[in-house]
């Protein structure tokens, strides 16, 4: 057989034809997808490249008729400005950095959604960095983003050791918002949640449900949020006149396994003694504690009430748990406000940075009584009020 004057076998003929088709498609693809240039837009619109540049960068000095014609030709030619060249002119990248401890943690989903929804209202893209709960990696990400790669960035987390490189964020000329870590002594944009208040509404609710002996399983005490929740628990117990023994504060962490081990160790140590009236968990470990209670033959809320912190569920086809009552952080709002404050700082260069405190709510579900008692008169005077922070789900 012959193909283009070349003798070839049947299989060779097929290969030759396929190669020619692919080559044709590559040429066609290259021709069609060739990027338009600013000079081509200027020529099509009958103006100078400098005038096209002014339209691209949103500058004045362009008539409405010329601007409309240039934008029309940009669309017709599918022209997109080179982001690197544009950033050299505008001194901006139109990119926001976000540094998180663990991008795969479902707990952070609502926070990320809040950031994304707010950023999408503006002409910005997002660059995520995952520090994997490693302080060295987080510091490297901060240094990386501070070198002109983004217009500003958001840092999430409250590890107590992070205080050591707060100075590096202060030294950065890049606007920054720190979320969760309390930095009231520094002139840095800061979004925090009142963890004291979160513990108070949990203890207050349990007390009004008749609980007197309440045990607290802490989160990871290397994290400032966990320390604040523990201290808030102790302060609330003292405020309401409820006794706390040393054994009533149980060291835990934010994991399912940590909750299980903490409660199992407590039950083993106090075998034969009456159960506490309630367990209040300072992290996402409530379901681990529930499993430990079930393994020891107890149920919630019949034998002991449970309140967790954040709705960190447990997905297992073989073990079904009742839905735990929990203190809900306003994660979506934290992300939304962080993004809004950051963009405002980028655009307006505020000398005085913003400090915003948000308040959690108690979501009542199956591990405490659904019908909760009304707050006492003195409680109703507190802001935010006790009852306004308690919701049935």
């Amino acid at each position: 057989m012959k193909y283009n004057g070349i003798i070839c076998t049947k299989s060779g003929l097929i290969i030759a034809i396929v190669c020619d088709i692919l080559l044709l498609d590559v040429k066609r693809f290259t021709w069609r997808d060739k990027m338009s240039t600013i000079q081509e837009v200027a020529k099509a619109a009958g103006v100078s490249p400098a005038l096209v540049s002014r339209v691209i960068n949103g500058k004045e000095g362009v008539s409405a008729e010329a601007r409309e014609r240039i934008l029309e030709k940009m669309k017709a030619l599918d022209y997109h400005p080179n982001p690197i060249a544009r950033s050299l002119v505008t001194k901006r990248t139109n990119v926001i950095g976000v540094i998180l401890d663990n991008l795969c943690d479902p707990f952070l989903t609502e926070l990320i959604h809040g950031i994304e929804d707010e950023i999408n209202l503006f002409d910005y893209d997002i660059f995520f960095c995952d520090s994997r709960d490693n302080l060295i990696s987080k510091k490297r990400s901060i240094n990386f983003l501070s070198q002109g790669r983004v217009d500003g960035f958001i840092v999430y987390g409250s590890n107590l050791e992070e205080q050591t490189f707060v100075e590096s964020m202060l030294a950065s000329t890049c606007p920054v918002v720190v979320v969760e870590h309390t930095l009231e002594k520094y002139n840095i944009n800061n979004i925090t949640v009142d963890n004291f208040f979160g513990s108070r509404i949990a203890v207050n609710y349990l007390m009004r449900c008749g609980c007197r002996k309440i045990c607290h399983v802490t989160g990871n005490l290397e994290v400032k949020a966990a320390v604040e929740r523990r201290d808030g628990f102790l302060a609330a117990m003292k405020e309401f006149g409820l006794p706390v023994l040393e054994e009533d504060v149980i060291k835990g962490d934010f994991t399912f396994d940590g909750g299980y081990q903490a409660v199992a160790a407590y039950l083993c140590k106090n075998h034969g003694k009456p159960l506490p009236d309630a367990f209040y968990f300072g992290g996402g470990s409530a379901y681990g504690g529930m499993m430990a209670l079930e393994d020891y033959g107890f149920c919630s809320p019949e034998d002991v009430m449970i309140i967790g912190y954040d709705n960190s569920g447990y997905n297992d086809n073989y073990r079904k748990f009742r839905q735990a009552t929990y203190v809900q952080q306003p994660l979506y709002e934290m992300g939304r406000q962080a993004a809004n404050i950051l963009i405002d700082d980028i655009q307006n260069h505020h000398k005085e940075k913003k400090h915003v405190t948000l308040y959690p709510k108690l979501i009542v579900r199956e591990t405490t009584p659904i019908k909760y008692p009304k707050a006492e008169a003195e409680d109703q005077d507190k802001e935010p009020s006790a009852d306004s922070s308690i919701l049935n789900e």
Side-chain angles (χ1 to χ4, degrees):
M1 296 182 184
K2 284 188 177 182
Y3 181 73
N4 287 343
I6 300 174
I7 298 175
C8 55
T9 63
K10 186 176 180 179
S11 59
L13 175 64
I14 294 171
I15 293 171
I17 293 172
V18 170
C19 288
D20 273 2
I21 291 171
L22 290 173
L23 182 60
L24 181 63
D25 281 351
V26 168
K27 289 177 179 177
R28 191 177 298 154
F29 174 82
T30 304
W31 176 78
R32 285 179 179 174
D33 283 23
K34 181 183 177 182
M35 292 179 63
S36 299
T37 65
I38 193 171
Q39 287 79 12
E40 290 171 338
V41 173
K43 184 178 180 181
V47 298
S48 68
L51 202 62
V52 176
S53 178
R54 296 187 74 84
V55 171
I56 292 170
N57 294 310
K59 295 184 177 180
E60 298 178 353
V62 185
S63 69
E65 184 272 332
R67 186 182 300 275
E68 184 178 347
R69 189 167 70 251
I70 290 169
L71 292 174
E72 182 182 309
K73 295 304 179 183
M74 286 172 61
K75 184 177 181 181
L77 292 170
D78 195 25
Y79 172 75
H80 300 281
N82 185 313
I84 297 175
R86 187 178 182 183
S87 68
L88 291 174
V89 175
T90 64
K91 307 301 181 184
R92 289 186 179 175
T93 64
N94 275 51
V95 178
I96 298 298
V98 179
I99 304 173
L100 300 172
D101 290 331
N102 185 352
L103 268 172
C104 298
D105 190 346
F107 164 73
L108 294 173
T109 300
E110 283 300 303
L111 179 85
I112 293 170
H113 286 170
I115 294 172
E116 289 178 331
D117 287 351
E118 188 68 18
I119 291 296
N120 287 339
L121 299 176
F122 303 88
D123 187 22
Y124 285 89
D125 293 310
I126 306 177
F127 184 89
F128 286 99
C129 296
D130 187 344
S131 69
R132 300 187 181 184
D133 293 309
N134 184 289
L135 291 178
I136 295 175
S137 177
K138 181 173 280 190
K139 186 173 182 180
R140 187 183 298 118
S141 294
I142 290 171
N143 292 336
F144 174 81
L145 296 180
S146 298
Q147 295 170 7
R149 293 180 172 90
V150 295
D151 295 336
F153 58 91
I154 297 167
V155 183
Y156 177 85
S158 66
N159 191 303
L160 291 172
E161 293 182 31
E162 289 177 6
Q163 202 77 13
T164 58
F165 59 80
V166 167
E167 286 75 15
S168 66
M169 288 186 281
L170 279 169
S172 172
T173 57
C174 190
V176 59
V177 179
V178 177
V179 180
E180 193 182 74
H181 208 313
T182 305
L183 299 172
E184 66 274 359
K185 296 180 181 179
Y186 298 93
N187 189 29
I188 296 179
N189 294 311
N190 196 196
I191 303 283
T192 59
V193 174
D194 192 331
N195 288 296
F196 268 73
F197 180 77
S199 288
R200 186 184 186 281
I201 57 175
V203 172
N204 184 26
Y205 180 83
L206 290 170
M207 180 196 69
R208 285 154 52 190
C209 289
C211 297
R212 292 297 176 266
K213 183 173 177 60
I214 304 171
C215 288
H216 176 53
V217 180
T218 73
N220 180 356
L221 293 177
E222 292 181 358
V223 175
K224 193 171 185 180
V227 174
E228 291 172 347
R229 293 167 195 170
R230 179 203 62 190
D231 293 348
F233 164 78
L234 294 172
M237 294 290 283
K238 182 178 180 180
E239 177 187 349
F240 299 130
L242 301 177
V244 180
L245 302 177
E246 185 178 347
E247 65 180 23
D248 295 339
V249 179
I250 308 162
K251 188 177 179 180
D253 57 29
F254 295 117
T255 68
F256 181 94
D257 289 342
Y260 184 96
Q261 292 167 11
V263 173
Y266 176 89
L267 294 174
C268 184
K269 182 179 179 181
N270 294 277
H271 180 69
K273 297 180 181 179
L275 277 176
D277 298 317
F279 283 101
Y280 162 54
F281 292 80
S285 55
Y287 286 97
M290 288 173 66
M291 179 181 277
L293 286 165
E294 286 192 5
D295 287 350
Y296 277 78
F298 302 111
C299 293
S300 178
E302 291 86 351
D303 299 312
V304 58
M305 296 184 199
I306 286 179
I307 292 182
Y309 215 104
D310 298 317
N311 186 27
S312 299
Y314 177 68
N315 190 11
D316 191 321
N317 293 327
Y318 302 101
R319 292 287 288 264
K320 299 295 181 183
F321 297 106
R322 289 174 175 172
Q323 292 186 314
T325 294
Y326 68 102
V327 179
Q328 180 189 61
Q329 294 191 82
L331 289 167
Y332 180 89
E333 188 63 14
M334 290 162 66
R336 191 194 70 77
Q337 289 207 33
N340 182 274
I341 289 171
L342 182 61
I343 291 175
D344 182 42
D345 199 11
I346 290 169
Q347 295 176 345
N348 298 298
H349 310 287
H350 296 295
K351 289 185 178 180
E352 289 299 318
K353 306 308 180 183
K354 295 182 179 179
H355 288 231
V356 176
T357 300
L358 300 175
Y359 293 89
K361 293 182 179 295
L362 183 69
I363 307 299
V364 178
R365 302 200 294 183
E366 297 176 327
T367 57
T368 56
I370 299 299
K371 298 290 185 181
Y372 63 89
K374 293 294 182 182
E376 298 295 335
E378 60 269 22
D379 256 351
Q380 294 176 356
D381 295 333
K382 295 183 181 293
E383 289 295 337
S385 71
D387 284 332
S388 69
S389 300
I390 300 175
L391 302 175
N392 287 328
E393 187 174 277

